[in-house]
Amino acid sequence: VQLQASGGGVVQAGGSLNLSCAISGRGFSTHAEGWFRQAPGKEREFVAAINWSGSTTFYEDDAKGRFTISRDSAKKLVVLQMTNLKPEDTGVYYCGSAPGIFTVVSRYDAWGQGTLVTVSS
C-alpha cells in the first residue's frame, strides 16, 4: 500500500485546513487509517483514526470537537478536516495504514511522507 499526504500549509490561529491522504494498492477496503503529528523535537503522536468502513472514528482528546476524519471510498482518500487551529497543532502530519484503529505508531505498517502544518499565533 502507498499513502500520500497533502494539504498542509501556514494558517493563523483559529483558522482551518483540510489534509488529504491518497491511498493506492491493497488495503483501502480492509484497513484503518490514522493521522499522526510530529512537532519539532518530539515524537510522532496520535491525532485521529478511522476504520475501514468509516463507521468508527477515534480522536485524541484535544482534537475532539475541532478535527473530523472521514473517508471517500470512491476517491480512496482519507481526509482530516481541522478547524479552530492552535499553535500547538503545528507539526508534520503523517497518515498511516493499520489493520485496525490504533493510537500507537508501532501498529501502523505503512506511512505517507508527511505534510507540514504551521499555525501562527
Side-chain angles (χ1 to χ4, degrees):
V1 62
Q2 292 81 42
L3 301 95
Q4 185 166 0
S6 61
V10 180
V11 63
Q12 288 189 329
S16 301
L17 275 178
N18 291 338
L19 305 184
S20 293
C21 180
I23 299 160
S24 59
R26 65 93 178 141
F28 185 80
S29 298
T30 60
H31 275 55
E33 282 79 31
W35 283 97
F36 285 69
R37 173 178 58 238
Q38 188 163 17
K42 295 188 176 181
E43 295 190 352
R44 198 172 295 188
E45 60 183 12
F46 173 78
V47 176
I50 188 167
N51 74 333
W52 68 273
S53 68
S55 62
T56 303
T57 57
F58 190 75
Y59 299 89
E60 58 101 2
D61 287 345
D62 195 44
K64 292 177 183 177
R66 299 190 301 127
F67 294 3
T68 302
I69 188 170
S70 61
R71 60 194 300 134
D72 183 331
S73 296
K75 296 181 180 179
K76 291 192 174 181
L77 288 177
V78 174
V79 176
L80 184 67
Q81 297 174 283
M82 305 188 293
T83 63
N84 193 20
L85 283 160
K86 307 174 184 179
E88 50 265 44
D89 294 320
T90 293
V92 178
Y93 282 70
Y94 296 90
C95 58
S97 177
I101 289 184
F102 298 107
T103 63
V104 293
V105 170
S106 61
R107 299 305 300 265
Y108 286 74
D109 49 29
W111 293 94
Q113 84 287 4
T115 185
L116 177 62
V117 172
T118 303
V119 184
S120 60
S121 57

